Structure formats: structure tokens, C-alpha cells
Amino acid sequence: MRKICIILLLTLITSAAFADTDDDGKLKKSGWIYTPTTYAHIMYQNRKSSFIESNMMVPFWEDERNVTYAKLQNYMREGPRQTIGFGVGWNHLTQGRQAIFGVNAFYDRLRSFDSKLFSQVIVGAQAQTTHWVYQAHVYQPVVDTHVQVVGGPSMQSFQNVQLRDGLEQIMPGFDAQVGYRIGRNVALETYLGGYYFSAHGAQTVTGPQAHIVFSLQNPFGFSGIMAFLARNVAFEVGTSYDKPNDFSWYGGIRWTVGLGKQDLTGMEWHMMDENRQLFD
């Protein structure tokens, strides 16, 4: 929670540095087209645990139809389990402004149940239209991919890290999802996808996943510079099924902080959308 508060504070300071208000309290033109955006997720899962995820995206090169950004992401569960990642991405708005195409790459550092550390590289791609969203990622472990563990449970998993019969390892694989959304200021999004992870000596983890998001654009009706404090508030529920994790579900809230242009139209609103990676 402390890390999320620090990231949110940095986003507020950075956004405020590129925004100003006139004498009437209205927002002047921002120094950036698409300013830093932070997504904070607070979720509860039916495995009697909760998880927190925060993602901060900062543009470092952009024009009206392109944005290249750096992204810092942090995923925490109860106990020592945590994932910290850093990467870059590029999103392109087509000439007719009817679709967005993007690619991204990340380096993740994962800490498992007994504080063992693993690393992986993730490469992703996405495509969006007014109503449809397509996203996919490929996960490739690097450096030390497995370690022997003395004692502990016979089977346990965290994201794509699995402990089985004394061997703890991170597995390569992929995930993909297709989404359909209706509305913008008040929007409903539904996603259906799946994932596959496998490695020698590990039990293959594969299955379907789905989630539903109900979001509200600036639900508190803020104006001027205060609008970036609650750019979007969303409520999300999701479910998945695989072996060895069996059936699981989660639910919670997502808070988006980000300023950007105030005259965004159509698909411009989605140029700084998250490319969501695998949940545990």
C-alpha cells in the first residue's frame, strides 16, 4: 500500500507540473497531449486473500496519433509474493482515428512464496476499435528459472511460478483476451480469454479467464485541475479455472489518476489504456 501511495503522489506532482488553471478555475492546455496515468487496483480473491496492483505510464515521446511511454508496474499479494516490472510501449492511432495498435515489452522480477526471486521478459501487443479490444502477451523466463526447495507444500503456484515436489520454477507461456465495450463516460466492458504455461517438471497451468468492468468517467464531476484526481473509477469482477488452482474469482475497484487533454475525442481516450497482464 505504501508503494502505491508513493506512485500516486508522484503522478499527481508530475501532472500538476504540466497543468495550470486560469482565473476561472478552468484547465489550460496541458504541456503534454497524454500525461502520466496511474491505475491502482485493489481486489479480493476467493482464496481468502487480496491483491493490489499499481501501474504508472509516463509518455516520453508523443504526437496527436502516437505515444511512446515507460511503464512501472507493481503487483502485491498477502505475504512475500510480489512482482515488480519496468518496460516501454508504443500506441498508434490510425489516420481515420477509428483504431489503435500497440506493442510493449517488459522485464519483470517476481518474488515467490518463500522469497525466491525469478525474472522474465514479457512481449505484448494490442488492437482496439470503438467497441472491440484484443490483447496478448508472451512470457519468457530468463537467468535462473528454477530452484530446489526443502520442505514446504507439495504443490503451490503464484502467477507463472510453481512449486511442485521440492522444485520451484517459473514457466514460459502466453495469455490472450478479447473484450467488448459499450459507452464511454459510463462504460461496460466484458473480456474473455485464456492462458497457457508449461515447463519440464511442472504441471501445466492452462484454462479460461473472464472479467467484467463497469467504469465511470470523472464520477465526482470535478472540473479544472481537480479532474485528474479521479479520471475514472471502475468496479471489476473476474473468474478463471485451471489445474492446479481450480476455480477462482476476484472482485474490487480500480482507480485511475491522469490528466491529459480535456478535448479528447473518440479513440483518443484509449491511447493510455492499460494492456492488462495475467493476474494470479
Side-chain angles (χ1 to χ4, degrees):
M1 181 65 73
R2 182 179 62 183
K3 294 180 180 178
I4 287 183
C5 292
I6 292 174
I7 291 175
L8 288 175
L9 180 59
L10 288 174
T11 302
L12 297 180
I13 293 174
T14 305
S15 296
F18 285 87
D20 196 6
T21 56
D22 57 24
D23 294 337
D24 296 326
K26 295 181 179 180
L27 190 68
K28 293 180 180 178
K29 181 178 176 60
S30 172
W32 280 338
I33 302 170
Y34 309 103
T35 59
T37 303
T38 292
Y39 299 88
H41 309 250
I42 303 176
M43 304 289 178
Y44 174 81
Q45 196 174 43
N46 65 317
R47 299 179 201 168
K48 297 182 179 180
S49 65
S50 59
F51 60 88
I52 299 173
E53 182 181 27
S54 60
N55 299 309
M56 182 178 182
M57 302 168 63
V58 181
F60 59 86
W61 180 85
E62 62 176 357
D63 59 30
E64 290 287 345
R65 292 175 43 221
N66 296 276
V67 57
T68 304
Y69 59 87
K71 182 179 178 182
L72 176 65
Q73 52 194 27
N74 182 48
Y75 175 88
M76 296 181 293
R77 293 196 72 96
E78 295 178 0
R81 294 171 294 174
Q82 183 177 9
T83 300
I84 297 177
F86 176 82
V88 295
W90 170 71
N91 287 333
H92 170 71
L93 181 63
T94 59
Q95 187 170 0
R97 300 178 183 266
Q98 298 299 310
I100 294 172
F101 298 94
V103 293
N104 53 76
F106 297 94
Y107 174 79
D108 276 4
R109 191 73 165 159
L110 294 84
R111 185 171 63 196
S112 67
F113 326 95
D114 50 357
S115 297
K116 298 294 190 299
L117 295 175
F118 297 94
S119 300
Q120 65 182 351
V121 173
I122 304 172
V123 177
Q126 69 164 330
Q128 299 188 54
T129 63
T130 302
H131 296 293
W132 292 97
V133 180
Y134 306 90
Q135 297 180 344
H137 301 91
V138 175
Y139 300 74
Q140 180 57 54
V142 294
V143 194
D144 298 325
T145 61
H146 60 276
V147 63
Q148 294 291 332
V149 177
V150 178
S154 59
M155 173 67 77
Q156 198 171 30
S157 64
F158 165 58
Q159 292 189 319
N160 55 327
V161 175
Q162 186 179 102
L163 171 62
R164 183 184 186 190
D165 299 328
L167 178 66
E168 189 172 33
Q169 61 180 317
I170 182 170
M171 301 179 289
F174 66 89
D175 66 13
Q177 65 176 358
V178 177
Y180 186 81
R181 62 183 168 220
I182 303 173
R184 195 195 79 180
N185 293 334
V186 178
L188 179 66
E189 307 170 49
T190 58
Y191 294 86
L192 179 63
Y195 48 90
Y196 177 91
F197 295 93
S198 183
H200 178 72
Q203 181 175 342
T204 298
V205 178
T206 183
Q209 62 179 354
H211 64 275
I212 299 174
V213 182
F214 176 72
S215 61
L216 302 170
Q217 197 82 14
N218 190 11
F220 305 110
F222 291 145
S223 60
I225 197 171
M226 291 297 293
F228 74 90
L229 289 171
R231 174 174 170 176
N232 184 282
V233 175
F235 303 92
E236 179 175 339
V237 293
T239 184
S240 64
Y241 178 83
D242 64 64
K243 294 294 185 178
N245 297 312
D246 206 2
F247 170 79
S248 65
W249 61 264
Y250 69 89
I253 187 171
R254 182 184 70 199
W255 188 284
T256 304
V257 178
L259 189 60
K261 286 171 42 177
Q262 298 303 294
D263 57 348
L264 293 174
T265 60
M267 293 300 295
E268 289 180 340
W269 278 103
H270 300 288
M271 285 289 279
M272 292 293 286
D273 281 2
E274 290 181 289
N275 194 351
R276 297 283 293 279
Q277 297 176 10
L278 176 73
F279 276 149
D280 182 23

